[in-house]
Every structure is written in C-alpha cells, then in structure tokens.
C-alpha cells in the first residue's frame, strides 16, 4: 500500500476485505472515527486520536488524516454536521477532491 508521496502505509485502510466488499472512502471513514455524542469536539483532540490514520480518497490515493486537516480552519466543531462541512471544504480546498459535479 503506497500513498500519493510513495511512502508505505503499515495497513491497508480498506482492511482485508474492505467495507461490505467495497472500498472505504474519505468522509465516510472520517465520520466513523467519532460518534455523534462526541461533539462538541476540538480539532486538536480529533487529530491527537486520528491524525496518523490513513484515509483512501479514491481508488489509488491514500492520505493521512492530518494531511487533510492542514486545510481545516476550525479549532473545534459543535456538531457532526459542522465537522462534515469543514472537512469537506478542506478536502476540496486542498485539491484532494477529484470529482466535481457540473452545475
């Protein structure tokens, strides 16, 4: 398993069989790291617990959670919805989102 920079990951984020025989991708994985009851949540606490974990962005690219969070401006999240919006914006701002729907 190699990330975008060519370094080796110690684990495949999809596990031995993937998620329901499918790959696990970006926001779906980040969302599962913390339950709704964990909010409000500080960005620092989230990164302390999950920053080094790999997240598959697409079929060929894997990044560290901390790398994705380099583009998150929020210091904390009051709700899981706020978390999703901030992280989604960061993934797009960092150029990690490869699909853009036509308006």
């Amino acid at each position: 398993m190699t990330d975008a920079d060519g370094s080796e990951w110690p684990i495949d984020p999809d596990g031995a069989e993937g998620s329901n025989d499918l790959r696990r991708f970006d926001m779906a994985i980040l969302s599962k790291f913390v339950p709704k009851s964990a909010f409000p949540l500080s960005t620092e606490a989230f990164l302390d617990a999950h920053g080094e974990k790999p997240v598959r962005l697409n079929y060929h690219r894997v990044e560290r959670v901390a790398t994705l969070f380099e583009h998150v401006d929020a210091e904390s999240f009051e709700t899981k919805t706020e978390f999703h919006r901030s992280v989604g914006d960061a993934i797009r701002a960092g150029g990690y989102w490869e699909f853009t729907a036509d308006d």
Side-chain angles (χ1 to χ4, degrees), residues 90-101:
I91 288 172
R92 285 186 286 283
Y96 300 112
W97 198 267
E98 292 185 4
F99 174 79
T100 304

Side-chain angles (χ1 to χ4, degrees), residues 33-47:
F33 286 157
V34 287
K36 199 173 189 178
S37 62
F39 292 87
L41 176 70
S42 77
T43 301
E44 182 179 2
F46 181 79
L47 288 175

